[in-house]
Amino acid sequence: MSRSSTDGGERAAAAGIVVVGNGMAGARLVSEIRARDRRVALTVFGAEPQQPYNRVLLSDVLAGATGPDQIGLVDPAWYDANDVDARLGVEVVRVDRDAKRVHASDGTVTPYDTLVLATGSTAFVPPIPGTEHGLPGGVVAFRTLEDCRAILAAADGARHAVVVGGGLLGIEAARGLAGRGLHVTVVHLAGHLMERQLDQGAGAVLARTLGRLGIRTLLGTSAKALRTGTGAGDARRVTAVELETGERLPADVVVLACGVRPEVRLARAAGLKVDRGVVVDETLRSVTDPDVRAIGECSQYGDTVYGLVAPAWEQATVLADLLTGADAAARFTGARQITRLKAAGVDLVAMGETHHGDDDPQVEVMRFADASRGTYKKVAIRDGRLVGAILLGETGTAGTLTQLYDRSGPLPSDRLSLLFPGMGGAQAADSPVRMPDAATVCHCNNVSKRQIRVCWENGARTADEVARRTRASTGCGGCRDALEGLVAWLDEQDSVTVG
């Protein structure tokens, strides 16, 4: 819904809450606010023209496993039904904090009582020769749904693809393109893949796993230049990527996955305190202006900018409680970050402090590797508590480790149960019948086994219906198997009882 403005460009709507950014953080905040308060005036601006979507699932779209129309977060009719002024495809270009108004790209001016910045982040494009006059045809910085569509268009009929960047997004892009039959090479400056989340051993196993899937990995080097030729209509089009080593890689498609940067230009221009992100306190309030809040990838709490969906959604819940008065004591005091990569042939979970080696006397490290099978497992323990873990290739104890890490719970005496399912404590935690009701199944949305069971008892008899009602599995999707397993187990128990 886009309400008309007055002749002077002033928004006709009463001042209330204005949310700038309609991505995963902003869209979640809007829905959480409306779930608590249906009366407060609520306006949301989204620079992208389409309805908000799950950015985590873009790699599934790239791989062809999911359609672009299947990753939406909000039904288009929801805004009208819930009296939300949704300004899709309209960018906020200036914030006037003195007058408490935002100026938009369509010339309108909207007043606010509370302004929430949820502007997310933007893809970093390195200054590679060949990009001085914009990205040539076939080269895409992977971040948005439009980027995903551009990659798919470039990949149509292509043979060779180069992915610059071996982080999480780069690996997902490479797997998606390889699944479409392209010859894919990943070029990564660091000494091993996903160096922020994985240690060297896990990175080496991951590279070997990708190799079996037809993806070549080149480490410790970077793109020196993009080489171009003339395509249709005399347009520049990429033909190759030249590396610092001198090697030249043929390329019909180049995906730049070189990291992201918090989108803070609007905040900085408005005079808010910005470090890497907009600096906020535990109420998500800007330390500069009490009427401005910030959540998601553009915000910074303490020294941390959270780049994962679960912390952003946790922030949205806290802020909705505060802004509506549902819980005046709600606070965001930081979040544990758990990285999940689940693509065809690659299953990975990493959490906490993953880089500990055997030379740290304060940390107990357990490790198992079977590179031939693509398996790497590692746990790091300090003072009897789990402080980090990596599971690659075989993630049967992921639920157990996540719960122990989240809650800093005591570890089982049999440490092997942390690495291998079916042993000791891991069996009890991972079995639906023995899993405690309080166990968290979906960490993105903080959905427990009890909530799933209650939802099932209230008539949601399929995983899709439970997901719709509870939001379980609608974040990173890593818990989908667990959700389906719980629903199947509940169905089985019901049939046994009825019989």
Side-chain angles (χ1 to χ4, degrees):
M1 173 171 65
S2 181
R3 298 172 181 151
S4 61
S5 60
T6 63
D7 292 340
E10 182 81 19
R11 295 295 296 164
I17 300 171
V18 171
V19 181
V20 180
N22 200 28
M24 297 188 72
R28 173 57 65 93
L29 175 65
V30 169
S31 65
E32 293 284 356
I33 289 174
R34 270 295 175 260
R36 293 160 174 77
D37 188 335
R38 300 189 61 84
R39 296 170 299 173
V40 62
L42 186 55
T43 302
V44 57
F45 289 86
E48 294 185 65
Q50 63 266 23
Q51 303 295 330
Y53 55 88
N54 189 335
R55 201 180 304 274
V56 177
L57 299 181
L58 286 179
S59 58
D60 288 348
V61 175
L62 198 59
T66 303
D69 57 339
Q70 296 176 295
I71 63 172
L73 292 170
V74 178
D75 188 298
W78 183 88
Y79 295 111
D80 285 323
N82 288 275
D83 195 27
V84 175
D85 185 3
R87 311 291 310 287
L88 305 183
V90 179
E91 184 178 1
V92 171
V93 295
R94 184 167 71 88
V95 175
D96 184 342
R97 293 198 292 116
D98 292 332
K100 297 182 68 173
R101 292 179 172 87
V102 296
H103 296 251
S105 58
D106 62 355
T108 57
V109 181
T110 304
Y112 66 82
D113 293 317
T114 298
L115 174 66
V116 181
L117 299 178
T119 48
S121 58
T122 55
F124 171 67
V125 178
I128 305 173
T131 64
E132 304 91 338
H133 305 293
L135 298 182
V139 180
V140 184
F142 188 24
R143 178 62 182 162
T144 68
L145 182 57
E146 284 305 309
D147 297 334
C148 189
R149 289 178 172 138
I151 294 171
L152 291 175
D156 187 21
R159 294 182 57 201
H160 299 281
V162 175
V163 177
V164 181
L168 179 64
L169 196 59
I171 299 302
E172 291 180 337
R175 185 66 191 98
L177 289 171
R180 290 181 175 271
L182 278 72
H183 299 285
V184 181
T185 301
V186 175
V187 177
H188 193 49
L189 180 60
H192 66 270
L193 296 172
M194 293 183 63
E195 74 281 0
R196 294 180 61 184
Q197 295 88 9
L198 304 182
D199 63 8
Q200 188 171 5
V205 174
L206 177 57
R208 184 164 177 169
T209 298
L210 294 178
R212 287 198 299 270
L213 297 171
I215 300 170
R216 182 187 181 198
T217 300
L218 298 177
L219 301 171
T221 188
S222 60
K224 180 180 180 181
L226 301 180
R227 299 306 177 190
T228 60
T230 302
D234 294 331
R236 282 194 317 137
R237 187 165 190 85
V238 69
T239 59
V241 176
E242 185 176 332
L243 304 182
E244 292 289 350
T245 59
E247 183 176 358
R248 180 176 290 202
L249 304 174
D252 306 301
V253 183
V254 174
V255 177
L256 301 178
C258 306
V260 296
R261 301 290 185 270
E263 179 50 79
V264 293
R265 289 175 295 181
L266 191 65
R268 184 173 281 118
L272 299 173
K273 182 177 180 180
V274 174
D275 185 8
R276 288 186 298 137
V278 182
V279 181
V280 298
D281 63 16
E282 59 186 9
T283 66
L284 290 314
R285 178 180 279 118
S286 162
V287 297
T288 307
D289 187 333
D291 295 321
V292 178
R293 314 278 182 129
I295 63 171
E297 292 177 309
C298 73
S299 69
Q300 177 178 327
Y301 175 74
D303 296 326
T304 305
V305 172
Y306 292 94
L308 299 173
V309 61
W313 283 354
E314 182 180 341
Q315 290 176 336
T317 299
V318 169
L319 187 52
D321 282 340
L322 291 171
L323 294 182
T324 63
D327 182 0
R331 295 293 185 270
F332 178 78
T333 56
R336 295 182 181 272
Q337 301 199 63
I338 301 173
T339 301
R340 301 175 189 271
L341 170 61
K342 195 172 183 66
V346 185
D347 202 355
L348 168 68
V349 179
M351 63 194 78
E353 303 171 30
T354 58
H355 292 83
H356 286 294
D358 299 323
D359 56 348
D360 189 340
Q362 303 300 318
V363 179
E364 175 188 351
V365 176
M366 295 177 56
R367 185 186 291 107
F368 171 82
D370 185 349
S372 64
R373 295 173 181 256
T375 301
Y376 185 91
K377 304 182 182 189
K378 176 182 178 180
V379 294
I381 302 165
R382 182 190 297 117
D383 298 329
R385 298 294 188 268
L386 184 73
V387 296
I390 300 171
L391 294 176
L392 172 60
E394 202 291 302
T395 59
T397 60
T400 299
L401 295 180
T402 301
Q403 291 174 44
L404 292 171
Y405 175 63
D406 266 347
R407 302 174 184 178
S408 296
L411 303 183
S413 56
D414 179 7
R415 296 288 202 254
L416 285 178
S417 66
L418 301 174
L419 296 180
F420 301 102
M423 299 183 67
Q427 183 178 23
D430 288 340
S431 171
V433 69
R434 296 182 180 180
M435 181 186 294
D437 260 10
T440 302
V441 176
C442 176
H443 288 267
C444 291
N445 290 289
N446 195 28
V447 181
S448 67
K449 175 194 173 184
R450 179 182 184 279
Q451 289 171 285
I452 292 172
R453 178 176 55 77
V454 169
C455 183
W456 181 88
E457 291 170 350
N458 288 334
R461 295 307 174 97
T462 67
D464 286 342
E465 181 62 18
V466 173
R468 188 184 68 78
R469 296 190 190 184
T470 66
R471 292 174 169 163
S473 80
T474 62
C476 71
C479 65
R480 181 70 186 192
D481 290 346
L483 172 63
E484 291 177 349
L486 273 172
V487 172
W489 172 71
L490 289 165
D491 287 340
E492 180 182 339
Q493 300 308 301
D494 184 56
S495 64
V496 170
T497 302
V498 172

